[in-house]
Amino acid sequence: LDKMENQEEALPLYKEALAGRRETLGDRHPDTLQSINNMAVFLKEMGKKEEALSLYKEALAARRETLGDRHPSTLTLISNMAGLLAGMGNQEEA
């Protein structure tokens, strides 16, 4: 129960950080993209897999556009997204 309560308290903070970075730095800034990834990881841990997948897709498209397909940050995100898809039973898409 404590973990669930802590997650519920943390969620608005993740959202605030992401919104602040989007507003201040823009949607394609590397720090904003990292916040999107962090939020997706957190949502995955909370069991909100569809929401996490949506953020992973957004971040992956932006990282490919801004950093390229072989940048370490892009590759890490691909790995994170593959793990989520595999956990959701989408081994083919992963």
Side-chain angles (χ1 to χ4, degrees):
L1 184 62
D2 285 338
K3 183 177 181 182
M4 181 68 99
E5 288 175 6
N6 288 340
Q7 287 177 332
E8 291 299 326
E9 289 179 30
L11 184 57
L13 297 174
Y14 274 104
K15 288 181 177 182
E16 181 181 355
L18 177 54
R21 284 192 168 168
R22 285 185 192 271
E23 182 181 319
T24 305
L25 303 172
D27 288 336
R28 297 293 190 249
H29 190 279
D31 290 346
T32 303
L33 298 177
Q34 186 59 50
S35 285
I36 294 170
N37 181 70
N38 292 348
M39 179 78 150
V41 169
F42 182 70
L43 289 169
K44 176 185 170 188
E45 290 173 2
M46 289 185 71
K48 298 182 178 195
K49 295 178 180 178
E50 291 297 329
E51 290 178 58
L53 183 58
S54 176
L55 287 175
Y56 278 137
K57 287 179 178 180
E58 175 188 356
L60 181 56
R63 281 191 175 170
R64 283 187 163 153
E65 178 185 314
T66 59
L67 301 175
D69 289 337
R70 296 294 172 228
H71 189 279
S73 294
T74 304
L75 297 173
T76 297
L77 183 63
I78 290 169
S79 179
N80 290 347
M81 189 169 160
L84 174 64
L85 289 167
M88 293 173 72
N90 296 336
Q91 280 82 11
E92 287 182 21
E93 196 173 343

